[in-house]
Amino acid sequence: MDRGIPRREFVKAAVAIGGSAALAACLQRESTPELPTGPDDLSELPARQHAWNDVLATDDHGNDVAPKHHVLRLMDYSGAGPPSNADRETMERSLRTLERAYPRSHEGLLFTVSYSPAYFDGFDEPLPDSVDLQEPKALAPFEEPALDRSDAVLHLASDYGSVVLAVEEALFGDAEELNGVSVEAGLDDLFDPVDRRTGFIGDGLPADHQDVDGIPASKPVPDDAPMYMGFKSGFKKNQATEDAVSIQSGPFADGTTQQLSLIRLHLQQWYEQDSRFHRVATMFCPVHADDGLVEGSGDNLGDTSLMTERGCPAHAEDHAREYGVVGHSQKSARARRDDTPIMLRRDFDSTDDGKASLHFLSLQRTISDFVDTREAMNGTDLAESGPVGQRTNNGILQYMTVERRGNYLLPPRALRSLPEAQPDR
Ligand code: HEM
């Protein structure tokens, strides 16, 4: 399996395949350093499951850099009726094993668990008013996504593919030890598997994995691009802070909401017919294309994609009329509040099903914040007033299809194991 395959390509393939054989092969090839175990005193860990930024790497401009390898496990609680305290305790023991086994960082392990509206429907009482969690639904006139209703999503992330694979073996396989720590309990008795999704992000990884449907055979993805579409994403000033997306009050304070969509990419025209001008204009803003503001994948921009700085969101309609094209970031930035982003994007690319895909995972205080941002990104107003099409020349809508959507409550760490809808805290 490994002969002649470069190391980073091999590791991604192993994560996509999963299982103990993939883990063994990955350990051999990845040259994972000897990793220390996690803290003995777990009370030092942050209250927020989503508090990752402090333990992520940063680039030269101070932008947070996402962990390279990701696995999402969608699963259904297997017990009949509302979860028992015994199951809650088993799950907590199992998650604590992960925390003891690896440092909580991009070089160790980061993870979250979140729960769907369908899960909370199993309780007599509704979620408190301080939580805005809604059933997923189609969010554009031109999409018909399947709606995910599995009870829970476990998100595992690490710079080392072997770490996420080893964690899966401990939780769902036969492994009795994880980085030398004995595995007290797994999750396989508590949950039935629904779906396993995998992915990667980081300079060079997309180019290594462009032999998939949706990307031309000429292998056009730039060698150093962190994402399939060739541009960098997640500039510090274009992301919400963790404080901004955290729920402020009620039992789920320090939690957040998570939306997860499975997006397929169609990049034939993007790479074979569109000009660099068009790519920059539709991803960022026509002004960025006109003034040559973006070099390569956009690292030269520093820590901001220069949206309000260049007046792009406010002039979306003027630009659409003047240039016949409008940018994705330009439209999405119209959802900001007081010029502050309201969504924290933690998305990553994927080769799942042999198709160029993107698992769009975002955190926001309320699901309404996501719905509003997606509406801004749709730019239906601009299509109705004439200058651009519903999907053509209207940001990057033409190059993507949302196949599935799901919404989740990501509770604070203290309530991450099979929470009740109205927990006493
Ligand atoms: C194929 C899928 C997507 C790709 C490749 C993509 C890529 C990008 C890039 C390159 C930027 C500019 C850099 C930055 O500000 O970080 C950006 C900004 C942004 N995108 Fe996306 N994006 C995708 C889908 C989405 C979706 C589904 C949403 C949800 C509504 C979204 C919301 C945003 C927001 C809110 C911003 C920042 C706007 C601001 O500056 O306030 N993106 N995206």
Side-chain angles (χ1 to χ4, degrees):
M1 181 176 174
D2 65 343
R3 201 172 314 140
I5 304 178
R7 184 172 7 164
R8 62 186 185 192
E9 194 168 328
F10 181 87
V11 172
K12 198 252 97 201
V15 173
I17 293 162
S20 53
L23 169 60
C26 192
L27 276 171
Q28 227 176 30
R29 279 299 295 271
E30 192 178 39
S31 57
T32 315
E34 190 92 349
L35 288 173
T37 51
D40 291 330
D41 181 4
L42 300 183
S43 66
E44 292 164 10
L45 296 178
R48 295 175 184 164
Q49 291 195 76
H50 60 288
W52 288 14
N53 290 355
D54 277 352
V55 287
L56 292 179
T58 45
D59 68 13
D60 293 347
H61 311 290
N63 298 308
D64 294 316
V65 179
K68 293 194 179 89
H69 298 284
H70 297 254
V71 171
L72 298 163
R73 287 280 198 147
L74 281 69
M75 42 198 201
D76 276 339
Y77 176 59
S78 53
S84 62
N85 276 335
D87 283 354
R88 204 162 276 136
E89 279 157 26
T90 305
M91 178 164 184
E92 188 55 27
R93 272 213 319 279
S94 140
L95 299 180
R96 283 171 184 244
T97 301
L98 310 187
E99 290 170 333
R100 287 205 182 88
Y102 292 108
R104 191 176 183 283
S105 95
H106 64 104
E107 288 184 307
L109 173 71
L110 292 168
F111 70 92
T112 62
V113 200
S114 57
Y115 298 86
S116 68
Y119 167 83
F120 288 108
D121 281 349
F123 295 88
D124 291 339
E125 295 174 305
L127 281 166
D129 290 342
S130 47
V131 172
D132 166 14
L133 178 67
Q134 310 165 17
E135 286 287 346
K137 59 181 183 195
L139 293 177
F142 46 82
E143 69 173 31
E144 282 182 65
L147 305 175
D148 284 326
R149 293 214 159 83
S150 61
D151 286 329
V153 176
L154 172 69
H155 178 189
L156 305 171
S158 172
D159 281 348
Y160 298 108
S162 54
V163 169
V164 288
L165 287 171
V167 170
E168 286 188 282
E169 286 309 296
L171 293 179
F172 306 104
D174 302 326
E176 286 171 7
E177 279 202 346
L178 185 61
N179 201 26
V181 171
S182 97
V183 176
E184 288 185 32
L187 291 182
D188 47 347
D189 289 340
L190 298 178
F191 290 98
D192 296 324
V194 175
D195 201 4
R196 177 176 186 269
R197 302 181 191 167
T198 68
F200 52 90
I201 179 166
D203 297 357
L205 282 166
D208 283 346
H209 304 105
Q210 52 183 314
D211 194 7
V212 279
D213 287 353
I215 298 190
S218 57
K219 299 199 189 273
V221 178
D223 278 350
D224 60 346
M227 301 193 79
Y228 276 136
M229 293 190 76
F231 295 108
K232 179 170 176 162
S233 172
F235 296 100
K236 188 119 194 152
K237 296 209 169 118
N238 304 80
Q239 290 274 53
T241 60
E242 287 170 351
D243 280 346
V245 302
S246 298
I247 296 170
Q248 297 295 292
S249 60
F252 291 101
D254 283 325
T256 182
T257 73
Q258 172 179 288
Q259 111 79 48
L260 175 65
S261 24
L262 167 48
I263 300 180
R264 301 295 187 194
L265 301 173
H266 322 290
L267 303 182
Q268 280 82 2
Q269 180 184 321
W270 180 256
Y271 279 119
E272 291 193 331
Q273 288 160 41
D274 294 339
S275 61
R276 166 92 189 164
F277 185 100
H278 185 84
R279 288 197 290 270
V280 172
T282 48
M283 184 60 88
F284 292 91
C285 170
V287 167
H288 288 51
D290 226 5
D291 293 353
L293 297 181
V294 184
E295 291 165 20
S297 62
D299 192 54
N300 68 301
L301 290 165
D303 66 356
T304 169
S305 68
L306 297 175
M307 284 297 122
T308 45
E309 295 90 328
R310 288 292 179 139
C312 296
H315 292 104
E317 188 158 356
D318 307 332
H319 289 170
R321 209 167 292 113
E322 193 179 329
Y323 294 93
V325 55
V326 67
H328 162 72
S329 320
Q330 169 175 35
K331 285 183 298 170
S332 306
R334 298 184 301 171
R336 291 181 182 191
R337 248 176 249 133
D338 300 328
D339 196 23
T340 308
I342 55 174
M343 254 174 54
L344 176 54
R345 290 163 286 135
R346 287 190 171 156
D347 51 304
F348 47 90
D349 281 339
S350 173
T351 56
D352 286 352
D353 310 310
K355 298 175 181 175
S357 311
L358 180 131
H359 294 300
F360 190 84
L361 189 156
S362 69
L363 306 178
Q364 49 284 308
R365 191 172 289 170
T366 66
I367 291 294
S368 303
D369 286 342
F370 179 79
V371 173
D372 293 348
T373 308
R374 178 62 212 213
E375 193 181 325
M377 168 181 160
N378 285 344
T380 309
D381 51 327
L382 306 171
E384 277 165 0
S385 63
V388 295
Q390 193 177 51
R391 294 180 72 197
T392 45
N393 300 322
N394 196 340
I396 54 174
L397 295 172
Q398 181 187 354
Y399 311 96
M400 53 177 269
T401 305
V402 178
E403 228 169 62
R404 310 193 68 92
R405 284 191 183 287
N407 295 337
Y408 306 88
L409 170 62
L410 199 159
R413 180 171 174 275
L415 293 172
R416 66 188 169 178
S417 296
L418 296 167
E420 295 179 308
Q422 291 271 358
D424 324 312
R425 246 187 116 195

